[in-house]
Amino acid sequence: MKIEKISLHQFFIFFNITYLHNVEFTKDGLISMVKNLLWKLKDQLMLRGFYKVKVYAHQKVGLFLDLYQLEEFEYEDSFDLRVFVFFDEKIYFKTKDFFVLPKNAPIYFDGSYFYCDVNYMDNFLSVVEFGSILYGKELYQVMSRWQKC
């Protein structure tokens, strides 16, 4: 699990697939699980108010949560969520080490980093420490600059 506070009203949370047991990768199953997980973390992260939560789910990698506080409530313990689940988002692995990527997968290069779709990586959890994960807006910005190797 990785938690990053981006600003006073924005968080990024990553749940590794090994942390998630018996996950039902359906819309309702993920919404329920995300609400339970965030309810457990709300006091530690001091989550108060109304949040929009974007969930990017991948069965091989885990869950990526982007939390945005939309409204701050007057009451101290008030906490509510609106959860959006994205199943079909592309998720890529970004690394400087070409040799950790699979040999028979499409690999892209932007001058500094190599990129590979995690769907082609059988050993993803064993190489995750050699790079980072891209998805959403950040990925689409990089895609405009890269070329196929």
Side-chain angles (χ1 to χ4, degrees), residues 4 10 15 82 91 94 107 113 121 128:
E4 185 179 330
Q10 187 176 357
F15 293 100
R82 176 74 169 131
I91 297 177
K94 170 184 168 182
I107 297 173
Y113 294 96
M121 301 179 72
V128 71

Side-chain angles (χ1 to χ4, degrees), residues 20-33:
L20 306 170
H21 302 288
N22 300 325
V23 177
E24 188 179 328
F25 272 84
T26 63
K27 182 180 175 183
D28 293 334
L30 288 173
I31 289 173
S32 175
M33 185 187 60

Side-chain angles (χ1 to χ4, degrees), residues 9-143:
H9 303 287
Q10 187 176 357
F11 289 88
F12 164 77
I13 302 174
F14 169 65
F15 293 100
N16 190 324
I17 196 67
T18 58
Y19 180 79
L20 306 170
H21 302 288
N22 300 325
V23 177
E24 188 179 328
F25 272 84
T26 63
K27 182 180 175 183
D28 293 334
L30 288 173
I31 289 173
S32 175
M33 185 187 60
V34 166
K35 285 184 177 184
N36 288 334
L37 289 170
L38 291 177
W39 191 258
K40 292 176 185 176
L41 291 172
K42 77 176 184 78
D43 290 332
Q44 294 166 337
L45 299 178
M46 295 177 26
L47 299 175
R48 307 288 184 266
F50 182 63
Y51 288 83
K52 176 171 83 171
V53 182
K54 292 182 180 178
V55 179
Y56 300 91
H58 194 280
Q59 292 183 346
K60 197 183 267 188
V61 181
L63 299 178
F64 302 91
L65 279 59
D66 291 332
L67 279 77
Y68 304 95
Q69 185 182 39
L70 298 176
E71 187 176 344
E72 199 169 324
F73 293 150
E74 295 177 19
Y75 301 107
E76 186 68 24
D77 289 333
S78 297
F79 176 64
D80 198 8
L81 305 167
R82 176 74 169 131
V83 180
F84 300 91
V85 179
F86 299 94
F87 285 110
D88 297 330
E89 285 292 313
K90 294 183 183 285
I91 297 177
Y92 275 73
F93 182 65
K94 170 184 168 182
T95 184
K96 286 191 173 197
D97 189 355
F98 176 80
F99 297 103
V100 300
L101 300 175
K103 294 178 182 167
N104 297 330
I107 297 173
Y108 301 93
F109 184 67
D110 72 351
S112 301
Y113 294 96
F114 296 96
Y115 302 88
C116 182
D117 189 333
V118 296
N119 289 319
Y120 291 101
M121 301 179 72
D122 294 331
N123 61 344
F124 177 75
L125 293 177
S126 65
V127 299
V128 71
E129 65 194 61
F130 299 110
S132 59
I133 301 167
L134 290 179
Y135 66 95
K137 284 185 202 177
E138 189 177 345
L139 173 64
Y140 294 118
Q141 290 172 351
V142 172
M143 285 176 107

